[in-house]
Amino acid sequence: MSMGAAAGGFSAPMLKVVPVGLEIPLTELKKKVVNDGVPFLVLSAPGGCGKTTLATAFCHDPEVQVRYKDNLIFITVSKAANLLTIGQNIFQRLRRRVPGFQSEEDAVNKIECLLKDMDGEPTLLVLDDVWSGSEVLLDRLKFKITNFQILVTSRDEFKAFGSTYKLQTLSDTDATDLFRQSAFPQERDSYEPDQEVMEKIVKSCKGFPLLISVVGKSLLRKPAVEWRKRAKECSKTASFLENSQVLDCLQKSVDALDDKQSIKECYMDLGLFPEDRRIPATALIDMWVELHGLDEDFAISNLYELSFRNLVDLRVIRKDASEDDDGFHNEDFVTQHDLLRDLAIIQSNTHSFQLRQRLFVEITGNSFPSWWTESTEKVFKAKLLAVTTDENFSSSWPDINAPEVEVLVLNFKTQNYGLPKFIARMQNLKVLIVTNHGLSPADLSEIYHLASLPNLKRIRL
């Protein structure tokens, strides 16, 4: 069976709203990149400060688009970065036939030849969400080519790579404006706390846009006692937020979710999907209907609620914006900030591997974790299992005994992928989601393992 490739390297994402407090950083960034022509620039800040939002706003700025035209390449890199994938993305974004790369060295050589053939046309490569430890990768892309520039967003400064622009957190005024947008929609009956309570809560967010928007939405329409409770919790917050403290603050907002329709559980399920990838809305609906026993309309409602709470970014694709919601969401998708994904995974990993309800496994090459390979006799209690493999995976699967799995999510990048034999023993399996995250079509084999599964209701490829 042949599987097409999922959307891998995006053009610059769309902006849902006008960002708050980024006017000055945007002007300063344009001066460095467009006016001064800085060849290699790192936009650096802690997680949740708005690096991707600023880079996106930069790419959509009219002056930037006039300069770079169709030669503006926006690639989300993430943790599992490699030059083969980046090379494929660059060729695709520049509308060139993607060649076969024999090695990373071959990929670098072909990328350089392509960029030299641009005849000096201004070209900007935006590498978003580059992780610490990527120095070698970045260094190999530092081509000395006229009018070729790279903008990197990262929590790391990569001082040896080039110049650095440090994005600051929001000022008190901008933080308050963003908080008001989140916590006080234009509703006359919405409770508004006294100024002191609100100031405590806003200041506890330390100017982090992600935190401000999520906390604000978590207090929307909440009674006065909830506001006072949050303000007291905020008084214990440190003067500077480390990554773990940001996650702790976000967790309080997740705890505030109304769980009548399993919304918290639906949020936790988002960790099943790879970082910085589009998640099809239909895949989530399939999972939630079968796993949590939700009516399909309730599952869709949960998706909108998570988006409203700023816990996911839901993109609804309509040919006509005036169309009513007809219940079909085949083109709609969800993305999620990596901190919010990290939180879902951390909250799911509180028990031993055997007792976890959700198992998330990321495989490099064919190196499976020891708890998997050394536990062939043990029974795992997971109801959801997600396995993500990379370009070097050979479809050599060790066995696992997980008879209670109801949702299996398989994410891969290879051109040939075989389903694992252990699927045949998952007699409670209801939903199977298999996604090719590579940039080329793939052949899917071993599908006969699905033949004897009595409860399998939904297969999404």
Side-chain angles (χ1 to χ4, degrees), residues 45-80:
C49 270
K51 299 182 296 296
T52 298
T53 302
L54 176 56
T56 301
F58 174 84
C59 291
H60 286 284
D61 184 88
E63 292 179 44
V64 174
Q65 294 198 337
V66 166
R67 174 167 175 77
Y68 299 103
K69 301 182 175 65
D70 292 332
N71 299 335
L72 202 163
I73 311 158
F74 191 106
I75 300 174
T76 303
V77 178
S78 303
K79 188 176 183 179

Short mmCIF file of all heavy atoms in Angstrom, two decimals, residues 45-80:
data_model
loop_
_atom_site.label_atom_id
_atom_site.label_comp_id
_atom_site.label_asym_id
_atom_site.label_seq_id
_atom_site.Cartn_x
_atom_site.Cartn_y
_atom_site.Cartn_z
N ALA A 45 15.42 33.37 23.04
CA ALA A 45 14.61 33.68 24.23
C ALA A 45 14.19 32.36 24.86
O ALA A 45 14.21 31.31 24.20
CB ALA A 45 13.39 34.51 23.87
N PRO A 46 13.80 32.37 26.14
CA PRO A 46 13.28 31.13 26.76
C PRO A 46 11.99 30.67 26.08
O PRO A 46 11.33 31.44 25.35
CB PRO A 46 13.02 31.56 28.21
CG PRO A 46 13.87 32.78 28.42
CD PRO A 46 13.92 33.47 27.10
N GLY A 47 11.62 29.42 26.33
CA GLY A 47 10.38 28.89 25.78
C GLY A 47 9.17 29.66 26.25
O GLY A 47 9.07 30.00 27.43
N GLY A 48 8.23 29.94 25.34
CA GLY A 48 7.01 30.64 25.70
C GLY A 48 7.09 32.15 25.61
O GLY A 48 6.14 32.85 25.96
N CYS A 49 8.24 32.68 25.12
CA CYS A 49 8.42 34.14 25.03
C CYS A 49 7.90 34.73 23.72
O CYS A 49 7.84 35.96 23.59
CB CYS A 49 9.90 34.50 25.19
SG CYS A 49 10.38 34.79 26.90
N GLY A 50 7.60 33.91 22.73
CA GLY A 50 7.06 34.43 21.49
C GLY A 50 8.04 34.46 20.33
O GLY A 50 7.85 35.24 19.38
N LYS A 51 9.08 33.61 20.36
CA LYS A 51 10.06 33.60 19.27
C LYS A 51 9.42 33.24 17.94
O LYS A 51 9.62 33.93 16.93
CB LYS A 51 11.17 32.59 19.59
CG LYS A 51 11.96 32.89 20.85
CD LYS A 51 13.07 31.87 21.06
CE LYS A 51 12.56 30.46 21.29
NZ LYS A 51 11.77 30.31 22.54
N THR A 52 8.64 32.15 17.92
CA THR A 52 8.01 31.72 16.67
C THR A 52 6.99 32.76 16.20
O THR A 52 6.87 33.02 15.00
CB THR A 52 7.34 30.35 16.86
OG1 THR A 52 8.34 29.38 17.19
CG2 THR A 52 6.62 29.92 15.59
N THR A 53 6.25 33.35 17.14
CA THR A 53 5.27 34.39 16.78
C THR A 53 5.96 35.57 16.12
O THR A 53 5.50 36.09 15.09
CB THR A 53 4.50 34.86 18.02
OG1 THR A 53 3.85 33.73 18.62
CG2 THR A 53 3.45 35.90 17.65
N LEU A 54 7.09 36.01 16.69
CA LEU A 54 7.83 37.14 16.10
C LEU A 54 8.39 36.76 14.73
O LEU A 54 8.29 37.55 13.77
CB LEU A 54 8.96 37.56 17.04
CG LEU A 54 9.88 38.67 16.52
CD1 LEU A 54 9.09 39.92 16.16
CD2 LEU A 54 10.96 39.00 17.56
N ALA A 55 8.97 35.57 14.60
CA ALA A 55 9.51 35.14 13.30
C ALA A 55 8.40 35.04 12.26
O ALA A 55 8.59 35.40 11.09
CB ALA A 55 10.22 33.80 13.45
N THR A 56 7.23 34.58 12.68
CA THR A 56 6.09 34.49 11.76
C THR A 56 5.62 35.87 11.33
O THR A 56 5.37 36.12 10.14
CB THR A 56 4.94 33.72 12.43
OG1 THR A 56 5.39 32.41 12.79
CG2 THR A 56 3.75 33.59 11.50
N ALA A 57 5.49 36.78 12.30
CA ALA A 57 5.10 38.15 11.96
C ALA A 57 6.13 38.80 11.04
O ALA A 57 5.76 39.54 10.10
CB ALA A 57 4.96 38.98 13.25
N PHE A 58 7.38 38.52 11.27
CA PHE A 58 8.45 39.03 10.41
C PHE A 58 8.26 38.54 8.97
O PHE A 58 8.36 39.31 8.02
CB PHE A 58 9.80 38.57 10.96
CG PHE A 58 10.98 38.90 10.10
CD1 PHE A 58 11.60 40.14 10.17
CD2 PHE A 58 11.49 37.96 9.21
CE1 PHE A 58 12.68 40.45 9.37
CE2 PHE A 58 12.56 38.25 8.40
CZ PHE A 58 13.17 39.50 8.48
N CYS A 59 7.99 37.24 8.81
CA CYS A 59 7.84 36.68 7.46
C CYS A 59 6.63 37.24 6.73
O CYS A 59 6.61 37.30 5.49
CB CYS A 59 7.74 35.16 7.55
SG CYS A 59 9.27 34.34 8.04
N HIS A 60 5.59 37.65 7.47
CA HIS A 60 4.39 38.20 6.84
C HIS A 60 4.45 39.71 6.67
O HIS A 60 3.52 40.31 6.10
CB HIS A 60 3.15 37.82 7.65
CG HIS A 60 2.76 36.37 7.52
ND1 HIS A 60 2.13 35.88 6.40
CD2 HIS A 60 2.94 35.32 8.35
CE1 HIS A 60 1.93 34.59 6.54
NE2 HIS A 60 2.41 34.22 7.73
N ASP A 61 5.51 40.35 7.15
CA ASP A 61 5.63 41.80 7.02
C ASP A 61 5.79 42.18 5.54
O ASP A 61 6.57 41.55 4.81
CB ASP A 61 6.85 42.28 7.81
CG ASP A 61 6.98 43.79 7.79
OD1 ASP A 61 6.39 44.44 8.66
OD2 ASP A 61 7.67 44.31 6.89
N PRO A 62 5.08 43.20 5.07
CA PRO A 62 5.14 43.58 3.65
C PRO A 62 6.56 43.90 3.17
O PRO A 62 6.93 43.51 2.05
CB PRO A 62 4.24 44.82 3.58
CG PRO A 62 3.28 44.65 4.72
CD PRO A 62 4.06 43.98 5.80
N GLU A 63 7.35 44.60 3.97
CA GLU A 63 8.72 44.92 3.54
C GLU A 63 9.55 43.67 3.34
O GLU A 63 10.34 43.57 2.40
CB GLU A 63 9.39 45.82 4.59
CG GLU A 63 8.81 47.22 4.71
CD GLU A 63 9.53 48.02 5.78
OE1 GLU A 63 10.78 47.95 5.81
OE2 GLU A 63 8.86 48.69 6.58
N VAL A 64 9.37 42.70 4.24
CA VAL A 64 10.12 41.44 4.14
C VAL A 64 9.69 40.68 2.90
O VAL A 64 10.52 40.14 2.15
CB VAL A 64 9.90 40.59 5.41
CG1 VAL A 64 10.56 39.23 5.27
CG2 VAL A 64 10.45 41.33 6.63
N GLN A 65 8.39 40.63 2.62
CA GLN A 65 7.90 39.89 1.47
C GLN A 65 8.32 40.54 0.16
O GLN A 65 8.58 39.85 -0.82
CB GLN A 65 6.38 39.75 1.55
CG GLN A 65 5.94 38.88 2.73
CD GLN A 65 4.53 38.37 2.59
OE1 GLN A 65 3.72 38.93 1.88
NE2 GLN A 65 4.24 37.28 3.29
N VAL A 66 8.40 41.86 0.15
CA VAL A 66 8.87 42.55 -1.06
C VAL A 66 10.33 42.20 -1.34
O VAL A 66 10.71 41.98 -2.49
CB VAL A 66 8.70 44.08 -0.91
CG1 VAL A 66 9.50 44.82 -1.99
CG2 VAL A 66 7.23 44.47 -0.99
N ARG A 67 11.14 42.13 -0.28
CA ARG A 67 12.56 41.85 -0.48
C ARG A 67 12.80 40.40 -0.93
O ARG A 67 13.55 40.15 -1.87
CB ARG A 67 13.36 42.13 0.79
CG ARG A 67 14.83 41.71 0.66
CD ARG A 67 15.71 42.25 1.74
NE ARG A 67 17.06 41.73 1.65
CZ ARG A 67 17.99 42.13 0.78
NH1 ARG A 67 17.69 43.09 -0.10
NH2 ARG A 67 19.20 41.61 0.77
N TYR A 68 12.17 39.44 -0.24
CA TYR A 68 12.52 38.04 -0.48
C TYR A 68 11.56 37.33 -1.43
O TYR A 68 11.89 36.23 -1.91
CB TYR A 68 12.61 37.28 0.85
CG TYR A 68 13.67 37.83 1.76
CD1 TYR A 68 13.34 38.64 2.85
CD2 TYR A 68 15.02 37.58 1.52
CE1 TYR A 68 14.31 39.16 3.69
CE2 TYR A 68 16.00 38.11 2.35
CZ TYR A 68 15.64 38.90 3.43
OH TYR A 68 16.61 39.42 4.25
N LYS A 69 10.41 37.92 -1.65
CA LYS A 69 9.42 37.35 -2.60
C LYS A 69 9.18 35.86 -2.31
O LYS A 69 8.81 35.49 -1.20
CB LYS A 69 9.86 37.60 -4.03
CG LYS A 69 10.02 39.08 -4.37
CD LYS A 69 10.43 39.28 -5.80
CE LYS A 69 10.47 40.77 -6.16
NZ LYS A 69 11.51 41.52 -5.42
N ASP A 70 9.41 35.01 -3.32
CA ASP A 70 9.15 33.57 -3.15
C ASP A 70 10.35 32.83 -2.57
O ASP A 70 10.33 31.59 -2.48
CB ASP A 70 8.78 32.94 -4.49
CG ASP A 70 7.43 33.41 -4.99
OD1 ASP A 70 6.58 33.77 -4.15
OD2 ASP A 70 7.22 33.42 -6.22
N ASN A 71 11.39 33.55 -2.21
CA ASN A 71 12.60 32.90 -1.71
C ASN A 71 12.71 32.99 -0.19
O ASN A 71 13.81 33.08 0.36
CB ASN A 71 13.84 33.54 -2.35
CG ASN A 71 13.85 33.38 -3.86
OD1 ASN A 71 13.23 32.47 -4.39
ND2 ASN A 71 14.51 34.27 -4.55
N LEU A 72 11.58 32.97 0.47
CA LEU A 72 11.53 32.97 1.93
C LEU A 72 11.14 31.57 2.38
O LEU A 72 10.02 31.11 2.12
CB LEU A 72 10.53 34.02 2.42
CG LEU A 72 10.70 34.53 3.86
CD1 LEU A 72 9.92 35.82 4.06
CD2 LEU A 72 10.25 33.50 4.87
N ILE A 73 12.06 30.88 3.01
CA ILE A 73 11.88 29.46 3.35
C ILE A 73 11.76 29.32 4.86
O ILE A 73 12.71 29.60 5.59
CB ILE A 73 13.08 28.63 2.86
CG1 ILE A 73 13.40 28.95 1.40
CG2 ILE A 73 12.84 27.14 3.05
CD1 ILE A 73 14.82 28.61 1.00
N PHE A 74 10.60 28.91 5.34
CA PHE A 74 10.35 28.75 6.78
C PHE A 74 10.27 27.26 7.10
O PHE A 74 9.40 26.55 6.60
CB PHE A 74 9.04 29.45 7.17
CG PHE A 74 8.81 29.58 8.65
CD1 PHE A 74 8.96 30.81 9.28
CD2 PHE A 74 8.42 28.49 9.41
CE1 PHE A 74 8.73 30.95 10.64
CE2 PHE A 74 8.19 28.62 10.78
CZ PHE A 74 8.35 29.85 11.40
N ILE A 75 11.20 26.77 7.91
CA ILE A 75 11.25 25.35 8.26
C ILE A 75 11.25 25.21 9.78
O ILE A 75 12.07 25.82 10.47
CB ILE A 75 12.51 24.67 7.69
CG1 ILE A 75 12.54 24.79 6.16
CG2 ILE A 75 12.56 23.20 8.11
CD1 ILE A 75 13.81 24.25 5.54
N THR A 76 10.32 24.42 10.31
CA THR A 76 10.32 24.09 11.73
C THR A 76 11.25 22.91 11.92
O THR A 76 11.01 21.83 11.40
CB THR A 76 8.91 23.76 12.22
OG1 THR A 76 8.05 24.87 11.95
CG2 THR A 76 8.92 23.48 13.71
N VAL A 77 12.32 23.12 12.69
CA VAL A 77 13.40 22.13 12.79
C VAL A 77 13.13 21.14 13.91
O VAL A 77 13.15 19.93 13.71
CB VAL A 77 14.76 22.83 12.99
CG1 VAL A 77 15.87 21.80 13.16
CG2 VAL A 77 15.05 23.75 11.80
N SER A 78 12.95 21.63 15.14
CA SER A 78 12.65 20.79 16.31
C SER A 78 13.84 19.93 16.72
O SER A 78 14.94 20.08 16.22
CB SER A 78 11.41 19.94 16.07
OG SER A 78 10.32 20.76 15.75
N LYS A 79 13.55 19.01 17.63
CA LYS A 79 14.62 18.24 18.27
C LYS A 79 15.30 17.28 17.31
O LYS A 79 16.53 17.14 17.31
CB LYS A 79 14.05 17.48 19.47
CG LYS A 79 15.09 16.81 20.34
CD LYS A 79 14.44 16.17 21.55
CE LYS A 79 15.47 15.53 22.48
NZ LYS A 79 14.84 14.94 23.67
N ALA A 80 14.52 16.58 16.50
CA ALA A 80 15.08 15.55 15.62
C ALA A 80 15.50 16.17 14.29
O ALA A 80 15.00 15.82 13.22
CB ALA A 80 14.06 14.44 15.40
#
